[in-house]
Amino acid sequence: MTTSRPDPTRNPWLRRVAPAAVTVVALALGWQLYVAVSGIRPQVLPSPARVLEQGWAHRADIAGHAWSTLQVTLVGFAVSLAVAWALAIVVDFSPWLRRALVPLFVVSQTLPIIAIAPLMIIWFGFGLLPKILVIALATFFPMAIGLIEGFAAADREAGALLRSMGASRRQEFRYVRLPSALPRFFTALRIGITYAVVGAVFAEYVGATSGLGIYMSTQKNSFRTDLVLAAVLVTAMLSLALYLLTYAAERVVAPWALATRSPR
């Protein structure tokens, strides 16, 4: 009697992760080979092995700065999230405000963060507030627009049915428009959370006392390219971890959104 082994290609999680993992490994091997063959100086381009080795050797310093960046990211993103929800709900209840505010939301994305961030430091100093403002500018738009468009895309027939049964505008919002907006919101949330980490690092890079941004700036000035890349790797890992957490949150808050997606 023969026992059938599970086919790994039928595992949806493995199908999603395997291509990215293979690509990362291939790029790292190509990078390592190029450094070994070309003999390029580590100050210009260190090998992946050196980046990992030096990153591990300085793990205590990097971890401390990463924790500072994570705290700033979470606080700034929480403020941006609260403002996005509040304004999106207000806009949904008032068509006049939608016409007045949505163009301003779009204009906010035309402001160059690279020019605004130094001004925030000049105006508000090196504390937490300028970093929160930079993160809010970088993340507010996708979440607010995702919510506004999600509310507007609610099933009109379901809303009309509730109103015909005597439901108020708030009840229609709660039972029809809000559930309809959640899938789009979580898509926008995934975009925003990755921008949040980048925004926090950039704000620290311009001016801060701790964080991955200031750590990269310090190591760059010391020509420690390997430690700069190690900090970049940690930044990418933080972004990826927060990105994956949005799926866990969606599974708790809106499980029907995940159930309706067809696996690819």
Side-chain angles (χ1 to χ4, degrees):
M1 180 178 179
T2 60
T3 58
S4 60
R5 296 181 178 179
D7 186 1
T9 61
R10 294 183 179 180
N11 188 324
W13 184 85
L14 186 61
R15 287 208 310 270
R16 293 191 189 100
V17 173
V22 171
T23 302
V24 169
V25 171
L27 290 174
L29 290 176
W31 177 4
Q32 183 76 29
L33 181 62
Y34 172 76
V35 171
V37 172
S38 65
I40 192 170
R41 292 185 305 161
Q43 291 82 358
V44 178
L45 182 66
S47 67
R50 180 182 176 87
V51 171
L52 294 176
E53 177 188 357
Q54 292 303 309
W56 180 254
H58 294 81
R59 60 188 181 277
D61 288 341
I62 295 177
H65 287 285
W67 174 243
S68 179
T69 297
L70 180 60
Q71 288 179 304
V72 171
T73 300
L74 294 178
V75 172
F77 192 69
V79 171
S80 177
L81 188 62
V83 174
W85 268 96
L87 288 180
I89 292 173
V90 169
V91 165
D92 185 65
F93 275 84
S94 174
W96 185 88
L97 283 177
R98 178 187 178 98
R99 292 190 295 270
L101 294 180
V102 169
L104 296 181
F105 297 164
V106 176
V107 170
S108 71
Q109 294 306 291
T110 66
L111 300 175
I113 300 298
I114 194 172
I116 294 298
L119 293 178
M120 295 294 180
I121 300 298
I122 293 173
W123 292 338
F124 302 107
F126 292 90
L128 185 61
L129 180 58
K131 301 179 186 64
I132 291 177
L133 294 176
V134 170
I135 294 171
L137 284 174
T139 62
F140 169 79
F141 179 77
M143 293 185 296
I145 294 299
L147 282 169
I148 291 170
E149 295 299 329
F151 294 148
D155 190 342
R156 295 180 181 272
E157 294 183 358
L161 177 61
L162 278 182
R163 288 194 299 272
S164 68
M165 299 172 64
S168 65
R169 179 67 173 82
R170 291 184 179 181
Q171 289 173 320
E172 179 194 353
F173 177 85
R174 177 181 177 184
Y175 294 111
V176 177
R177 301 176 78 83
L178 180 58
S180 174
L182 286 179
R184 294 195 184 196
F185 164 70
F186 277 103
T187 299
L189 184 71
R190 282 185 269 279
I191 298 172
I193 197 64
T194 55
Y195 288 173
V197 178
V198 175
V201 170
F202 187 77
E204 293 167 348
Y205 199 92
V206 174
T209 56
S210 64
L212 289 173
I214 193 65
Y215 182 80
M216 292 180 197
S217 180
T218 303
Q219 299 306 322
K220 180 199 68 172
N221 295 335
S222 301
F223 300 98
R224 291 301 306 269
T225 310
D226 47 2
L227 292 180
V228 173
L229 292 177
V232 170
L233 178 60
V234 172
T235 302
M237 293 172 63
L238 283 178
S239 299
L240 180 59
L242 293 174
Y243 178 87
L244 294 176
L245 281 176
T246 64
Y247 282 99
E250 186 176 14
R251 187 174 296 277
V252 173
V253 176
W256 66 87
L258 293 175
T260 55
R261 291 176 188 161
S262 57
R264 294 183 180 181

